[in-house]
Amino acid sequence: MSLLLILTIVLPLAASLLIMAGADPRRTSLGAAVVNLALSLALFFGYDRTAGGWQFVSEWKILPKLGIDMTLGADGLTLVMILLATLVTVSALWVAPKVEKYNGLYHVSLLFISAGVIGAFASLDVLFLYSFHELALIPTFLMIGIWGTGDRQAAAWKATIYLGLGSFILLIGLIALYISIPAGHRTLDLRQLDQLAASGVLHPSALIYLILLVGFGSLVSLFPFHSWAPGAYACAPAPAAMLHAGVLKKFGLYGLIRIALPLFPDAMQELNGLLLLLVIGNILYIGYVTVSQKRLDWTIGYSSVMHMGYIFLGLASLNLIGVSGAALLMFAHGLSVAAAFALCGEIRRRTGTLEYSELGGLARTAPVLGLLFGFAAMASLGLPGFANFAGEVLVFFGATASGPAMILPVVVGVWGVVISAIYMLRAYRNVFWGPVIPRWESVADIGSGAKWAVILLLLPLMIAGFYPQFILKMAGTALPH
């Protein structure tokens, strides 16, 4: 039994109980998050890459006759995602303000999102992988509806309906997968499912893969199941947007890597044309929609949706290079979009608006804020030196190596990089450059706490950008060769 891995899930829940019992919300939640980051680093550097496979395994029998056990474990990809989750959690709680209404519940909700997503990544049983994700979704809806801005009620309900339906479809797919396993071999353990598929015992139909693709895709904002995401992120409090867009949305991609790639290789090959069509929609259609936005929060929200297309393109390549690029891009996008939403929240807090028409020249009055946003923007558009660039290059190489059918998606992906540069540079110019609008002449620069919270996200982005093997060697231990 691995106590460290268990603690990464239990610690945020324990901190939540302490807050509900009267402990200081900010100190308790941030302290627990910092300890959790230390635990994730200990797991990350304590993983034996030479041995590979699942390590730090703990198991509790729940329904052994049905093959349902609560099993936790981690391989390289799991630990990369847990590291992402703990980094973003610390940053989100660091920038979280003291709210006037239900301050304790605000921090408890953030801790529950973190615990849920870490539990989902660490679960080796498909049922608990699904259940932990649902645990993280509920506080997300609450945070948008209670502490959000703009038309927050509509955004919360839309996200609830879309994600609720997506989760229901996903559950149907997982049940169908379980039923498709021959009697006597039925299990929900990912390790045993991989063995059944490798031995030829398991032959799930392409229809089950399609159901799982729709379910997981809805949670990831795959085109055309994406319209819930930009509004939800724009209306959500910055820490909630950081955790959901940066970490929780990666659950669907993680699930496809864990379940679809090893169990449905033939179905993925058969339906790859459909997935590529949806990828083009994510990159091209959503990219042009992003260019047309007139608010910074909506630009970042749509940008997050668009960049999911690149990760799906890596999965659609069906080779190690492309899938490795997708894994690196999951890590990179999570950090960069979380940094962008953190800075977006700081701008909103100082100006009360995110309309491009009302902003301008903030780099003169808030130079550190402008510099940090410039780094986040450059990472988002894939500038060399950031992990986003390395991930996108691998995705393009992997897709190109898959054959002539990938030429059009790759061309669209390269054009999407140009589109990304257009909307991110436009956002940077409209908010931070040009003459200072008189009403912003006295705007305060970013505080030291928020500054270091964003640096905490940007630093790993640059480390993995200059040395992507830092992530690729870990994730590669879990990816099919």
Side-chain angles (χ1 to χ4, degrees), residues 356-398:
Y356 291 145
S357 60
E358 299 178 14
L359 295 169
L362 290 184
R364 296 176 183 271
T365 57
V368 178
L369 179 59
L371 176 65
L372 292 176
F373 190 88
F375 273 93
M378 296 307 112
S380 178
L381 61 86
L383 193 74
F386 293 97
N388 309 64
F389 171 78
E392 289 176 3
V393 167
L394 284 174
V395 164
F396 291 149
F397 284 169

Side-chain angles (χ1 to χ4, degrees), residues 65 75-76 106 131 158 233 260 267 277 289 291 358 384 390 457 473 478:
K65 292 184 178 180
D75 60 7
Y106 186 95
S131 301
K158 187 172 185 178
Y233 297 151
L277 184 63
V289 172
V291 171
E358 299 178 14
L457 301 175
K473 286 182 179 178

Side-chain angles (χ1 to χ4, degrees), residues 76 150 177 231 237 324 326 368 429:
L177 174 62
S324 297
V368 178
R429 180 200 64 192

